[in-house]
Structure formats: C-alpha cells, structure tokens
Amino acid sequence: MNLFTALRAGFPADLARIAVETADTPAPLHYTWGDLERGSAMLANLLASLSLPPRSRVAMQVDKSVEALMLYLAVLRAGHVVLPLNTAYQEAEIAYFIGNAEPAVVVCSKRNFGWVARTAFNAGTKHVYTLDDDRSGTLLDRAAFHADRHEPVPAAPDDLAAILYTSGTTGRSKGAMLTHGNLLANAQVLHEAWGWAGVNRAGGHDVLVHALPIFHVHGLFVAIHGALLSGSRMIWFNRFDPRGVAARLPEATVFMGVPTLYVRLLAEPALTREQCARMRLFVSGSAPLLIETFEAWQQRTGHTILERYGMSETVMLTSNPYRPESARRGGTVGPALPGVGVRVRSDKGAPLPAGEIGGIEVEGPSVFAGYWRMPQKTAEEFTADGWFKTGDVGRIDADGYVTIVGRSKDLIISGGYNVYPAEIEGFINEMEGVAESALVGVPHPDFGEVGVAAVVARPGAALDGEAILAALKQRIANFKVPKRVFVVPDLPRNAMGKVQKNLLREQHKSLFGG
Ligand code: MLC
Ligand code: AMP
C-alpha cells in the first residue's frame, strides 16, 4: 500500500477539523485535514503532469513550512521518491547529492534558486521550482493550476519512498533507501507503542508540538507519521524557540526533541510543571540524553522523558516503555520495538552474553533496502545472516534494555546532526598550506558534542585557525564547522602510525566546560 494511503486512513472523518496550526508565522495559520488532502493532491497532480518515470527522485531543500509537508505527501502520492535535504547544506554538498541521486525535480528556496538551479540543470534535472515558508514560490504557482483530487499511485511494500543521505565514515555520503513498507511498518509500531491509538480510541485527541526540522528521520517520519496516522493535531514551529514551545505546552499532549531541545527548554524560566499538566509524552532521541537532563526534566516537569534509538537506515529500533512511566530508564534507549531484532556482537562477530559490550546489529521490517547505487557499501554493512551493523557500540541487559556506550564509526553528533570527521578533514586538507588534520568530538553543554580540529601546517607554511574556520564556513553546512581550530606541530600517533583521536579528545575535553 502507498504510505500516503495508509497515513490518509488515519485522518479524521471530519476533514474540516484543524490538522496543523502554525505557531511562529507572522499570523497563526490553520490548516484543516481537508487542506492537507487537497494541497498534497494539487502538488501530486503537478508532479503527474511532468510525465516522469515511476519512482523519480524529487529533491527538496526548503525551509520548514506546512507546504513543505504537503510536498512530501505529494511525492508519496505520486509514486516518486523524496530526497529531503538539510537547509544548511551549501553548493559543494548539494552538488554531490544532486549528482548522485539524479533527481528529476528539485525544489529549493528562492534565495538559493540561482546556484541550486545551475547545479541541477548541469546534472540533467529538468524541473526546478522554488518554495518559501511564506506560501510563495513557483511550486505553488504551478500547483494552483491543478485539480485538487488525486488517486494515490499504488505502491508495493518494497517500492522506494525516500532516500536519506547519511555521510560515510570514509568518502562521500551514502543515500539510505527507505521503502513504503519500511516507513509504514515503523509508523504502525510507534503508533501502538506510544499510545497514539489509545488516546484516540478513548475519545481524546493528541496534540503534537512539532518543533524539529523536517529533513531528517526524527521530525519527518517519527513525529509527522505519528500525528497523521492517529489524526492528531500539530502545533507547528518552523523554528525551535524554547519560550514559544513552552507557551504552547498547556494545549499539547506530545513533544519530540533531540537532547539540545530539552537542554534549552530547561534553561527557559517559563517552563513549569503546571504548563506540562496535559502532556502525556516527551520523547528524546537522535543523540544521547544525559542523565542530568533526564533527571532535571523529571524534577521540573514531573514527566519522565521516553528515550528511543534509531537511525536514518532503520527508522526507530528501540524505545523505553510507554507504560508504566516508571519503567523508563535514564541512560538507556529501552528494549527493541516489536518486530525488531537487536543483538550485540564482538569485533569478530561472536554473540555476546547479556551485559557485555559490543557492536549493535539489527534486523526488522524498517531496516532499509540498501545504499543508493552502492551495492558494495551495502554488502559491507550487513552481516552474512542479514543483520545491519549500526556502528553503535552498546550492551543489552538481561531484561532486554539497550544501553549505547559509544560508536565504532567515527562520527560526531552535534545538536542531533551528524558530522563525519573524514568529510571535514577532507575539506581542511584541501586548503593551501595544510599537511593534515584531525577532527574530534568534545562535550558541549548545549549541543552535547561539538567538533574541534587539530591542523598541521606543511613545512614553511603559516596557518591561522580563524582563517581556516572562515574558509570552512564558506563551503560547508554551518553545523559541520568545527567550533575551534588548533594549529599544532603534529598529530599524536600510535606505533602503527594511526592518529590517536582519543588523546586529542582527552586533551580538549574541558574546552567548553564539559
Ligand atoms: C546550529 N548550530 C550548530 C547546530 N545547530 N552547531 C552545532 N551543532 C548543531 N546542531 C550553530 C550554527 O552553526 C550557527 O553557528 C549557530 O549555531 C546558530 O545557528 P542556528 O541555525 O540559528 O541554530 P539553532 O536554530 O539554534 O539550531 C539549533 C538546533 C538545531 C538544536 C535547534 O541544530 C536542530 O534543529 N537540531 C535538531 C536536529 C535533528 O532534527 N536531528 C534529527 C536527526 S534524525 P554560527 O557560528 O554559524 O553562528 C536521527 C535519527 C534519530 O538522528 O534517531 O532520530
Ligand atoms: P542518523 O544517521 O542521523 O540517522 O543518526 C543515527 C545515529 O544517531 C545512531 O547510529 C546513533 O549513533 C545516534 N542515536 C540515535 N538515537 C540515539 C539515542 N537515543 N542515544 C544515543 N545515540 C542515538
């Protein structure tokens, strides 16, 4: 079944009810369920009018808006494959994604149209539209000419629905291919596991405060699918603003955030227990939630954050229990979700007993179909018996609770965004006068972890850390830019000549008071 059809079945019978209310547009906007249905139908008809081959890629790098959500739904309806892209990506990054995915359609913001269109047309894309967060842009202008009824294109469970780029540990980003079946299976599991259905059946209605970006798994699939499948209203923030979010919690029942959002909410004096009185669920994920934050949240609001664990390649894998709340354990990501297999293996692939630390491997209906046009990489990331190697390191206790203790992949997670040191080092190493560099993650009170670079100059070259930072800001997404650059005489190496990143991490661990 087309994922859209399944989500659509969750819409309330009365389509005149409010589905989404914007919280930070110049004036509040109220979109009904009928608006989501009709808006996405018009956009789907626009896509259909282009006579594209089935499952063409549609790339979107647009600011968050309800129209962007409609575009996502339209791509599903039309039987194409959505390629959501972080708005922070710059030309070099976008050029790679477009070159690799070969989208038939690219939708970008007006301010980026010049360089995005040039990049896209050079790569053979025929259709480039604009969409801004004020309901303007050529995409909507064109869609206005199309009918507001559309029959979703049938999709088999194995048909591709989305490609999410996740950077590689070496080399360039890999596009994780997620199918209609992957996404629907996960949405249905979370629907049950987190009680979305229960609330609706009892006659109440969940209200989700949606304050995450919609170009990643957390904001796009976990949050939006949860709300749509249960017919729950969303209070929609285009940008996360702790004071604004705190002010809307009294009307809400569900909130989802990366740990940085919880840290920032806790720093907001307006957040009180009374404000959270109607809330039934706070979910955290995408990065480790510090036990201090978990406990501070309990004390301030009286609620226990439910931490869950997932990936772009797998959607959600484990979750602390919804009920009873007392079964949620801080510092753990809970047991495997129904239908998901989670196991821990030694470096050599041997099974490990409960409580022992090893590589986390997973299988289940939401595990992706492979990396786009990278069969070799796909094969490397799966075991012989078909389990996906997450690159996370952890243990599973006797009662099934999973604790993540680290990562075997060289990855920094900063404010919920992934930063791959190999990619950043590559950009630094290309700079004039640079012999080599190493990027490590160090603790940070706001972002959890941030990147810090050590750079070695070529003999005779003089380097300036600030100049390196300024040059990086011109080239890569801002969240990937290291927070500090140190010019050093050499990098610490072990007897094998390998850079000892653990020593660099140790050296800089207190840089931000961590
Ligand atoms: C912004 N900045 C960051 C950053 N976000 N630096 C490091 N890490 C980040 N995540 C920097 C910018 O570079 C800029 O620096 C300055 O902060 C202000 O930028 P901004 O865009 O105004 O920041 P802000 O709006 O405050 O954004 C912070 C944030 C955002 C926490 C709201 O990062 C965010 O929305 N994070 C959520 C990411 C997310 O949804 N992850 C889910 C992935 S899915 P300068 O120097 O340029 O001024 C996944 C799977 C799963 O992982 O399990 O869910
Ligand atoms: P991404 O590729 O952006 O989907 O990031 C996936 C990675 O985020 C996982 O492999 C984990 O390393 C990390 N992650 C997600 N949820 C959690 C969590 N609750 N705790 C710790 N790490 C997490």
Side-chain angles (χ1 to χ4, degrees):
M1 186 197 282
N2 187 310
L3 171 64
F4 174 80
T5 308
L7 296 174
R8 172 69 181 80
F11 289 14
D14 179 4
L15 290 178
R17 281 174 39 186
I18 301 301
V20 188
E21 178 186 341
T22 63
D24 57 359
T25 43
L29 301 171
H30 297 81
Y31 295 79
T32 64
W33 292 95
D35 291 335
L36 291 188
E37 160 64 31
R38 291 175 55 242
S40 61
M42 293 166 87
L43 289 163
N45 281 322
L46 166 63
L47 292 173
S49 74
L50 305 176
S51 303
L52 308 172
R55 284 175 288 289
S56 292
R57 274 78 57 211
V58 178
M60 49 192 287
Q61 190 196 27
V62 293
D63 292 325
K64 184 177 173 184
S65 68
V66 179
E67 287 67 27
L69 163 60
M70 290 181 188
L71 173 60
Y72 164 61
L73 297 176
V75 177
L76 296 177
R77 289 180 88 135
H80 296 306
V81 178
V82 71
L83 183 72
L85 294 167
N86 195 319
T87 44
Y89 292 146
Q90 301 205 49
E91 195 162 345
E93 292 150 316
I94 293 293
Y96 171 75
F97 297 129
I98 290 182
N100 188 252
E102 296 181 346
V105 180
V106 173
V107 184
C108 65
S109 57
K110 282 184 221 158
R111 65 177 181 279
N112 293 340
F113 179 76
W115 64 265
V116 173
R118 191 175 58 238
T119 309
F121 292 142
N122 282 342
T125 301
K126 297 241 166 23
H127 310 278
V128 180
Y129 299 105
T130 57
L131 175 63
D132 276 4
D133 61 3
D134 60 357
R135 292 179 292 164
S136 70
T138 57
L139 183 81
L140 302 182
D141 295 346
R142 299 287 190 283
F145 292 99
H146 289 274
D148 62 358
R149 297 212 174 153
H150 173 270
E151 196 55 43
V153 171
D158 288 344
D159 284 341
L160 269 195
I163 299 181
L164 295 196
Y165 275 88
T166 78
S167 300
T169 36
T170 54
R172 304 310 299 255
S173 298
K174 300 170 288 187
M177 300 191 289
L178 292 159
T179 65
H180 284 258
N182 289 149
L183 296 175
L184 181 55
N186 209 240
Q188 285 169 334
V189 160
L190 294 180
H191 183 73
E192 288 300 318
W194 292 348
W196 290 98
V199 169
N200 267 348
R201 270 193 224 115
H205 298 290
D206 267 323
V207 178
L208 170 75
V209 169
H210 193 299
L212 284 165
I214 58 169
F215 38 68
H216 287 307
V217 161
H218 201 160
L220 185 59
F221 300 146
V222 185
I224 287 177
H225 290 173
L228 297 186
L229 202 55
S230 57
S232 301
R233 183 160 69 92
M234 287 190 261
I235 298 176
W236 183 271
F237 285 82
N238 285 344
R239 258 161 264 289
F240 173 68
D241 153 39
R243 180 166 303 178
V245 165
R248 302 305 295 266
L249 289 179
E251 304 158 62
T253 62
V254 183
F255 176 77
M256 297 187 189
V258 300
T260 300
L261 269 51
Y262 287 98
V263 169
R264 291 188 183 184
L265 278 165
L266 281 168
E268 175 54 53
L271 178 79
T272 61
R273 187 176 281 250
E274 293 68 44
Q275 273 180 313
C276 300
R278 259 197 85 199
M279 289 293 298
R280 69 168 184 89
L281 183 60
F282 286 99
V283 175
S284 175
S286 312
L289 181 73
L290 291 182
I291 192 77
E292 290 85 343
T293 312
F294 176 86
E295 285 171 356
W297 194 264
Q298 259 176 339
Q299 287 212 327
R300 177 84 80 86
T301 69
H303 289 275
T304 306
I305 295 175
L306 178 153
E307 187 170 4
R308 93 307 179 270
Y309 160 55
M311 296 181 74
S312 300
E313 288 94 334
T314 62
V315 210
M316 295 303 103
L317 296 163
T318 75
S319 167
N320 268 284
Y322 172 52
R323 287 205 183 91
E325 200 167 314
S326 58
R328 298 179 200 163
R329 289 188 205 155
T332 84
V333 292
L337 282 161
V340 175
V342 179
R343 69 187 190 190
V344 166
R345 289 285 192 261
S346 73
D347 286 350
K348 300 201 166 55
L352 291 175
E356 287 207 17
I357 290 172
I360 299 177
E361 297 177 356
V362 299
E363 58 90 35
S366 62
V367 175
F368 72 136
Y371 293 112
W372 171 255
R373 292 183 179 162
M374 289 188 186
Q376 183 64 34
K377 283 264 180 251
T378 305
E380 284 166 15
E381 303 298 333
F382 282 86
T383 62
D385 60 347
W387 290 57
F388 175 62
K389 299 185 246 178
T390 63
D392 292 308
V393 173
R395 61 166 198 273
I396 308 177
D397 290 343
D399 52 8
Y401 279 65
V402 177
T403 304
I404 299 171
V405 300
R407 300 170 207 128
S408 56
K409 50 193 172 191
D410 191 11
L411 161 69
I412 298 166
I413 303 185
S414 188
Y417 288 142
N418 290 3
V419 179
Y420 281 84
E423 184 192 3
I424 316 307
E425 289 158 21
F427 279 106
I428 299 177
N429 295 347
E430 279 174 10
M431 291 180 192
E432 211 179 309
V434 172
E436 58 174 352
S437 62
L439 188 81
V440 294
V442 299
H444 188 274
D446 184 29
F447 294 122
E449 199 180 12
V450 293
V452 170
V455 184
V456 180
R458 283 185 191 284
L463 289 180
D464 170 17
E466 290 301 317
I468 292 174
L469 280 178
L472 281 174
K473 280 188 184 168
Q474 298 297 315
R475 294 216 65 195
I476 56 175
N478 59 8
F479 65 87
K480 294 184 193 170
V481 176
K483 298 294 179 211
R484 294 278 173 81
V485 169
F486 295 98
V487 177
V488 295
D490 45 38
L491 298 176
R493 290 182 187 281
N494 64 15
M496 311 290 287
K498 193 170 179 308
V499 177
Q500 290 174 296
K501 289 199 165 180
N502 53 331
L503 293 185
L504 285 172
R505 266 191 290 273
E506 186 59 29
Q507 189 185 345
H508 296 299
K509 70 174 185 209
S510 304
L511 211 50
F512 301 97

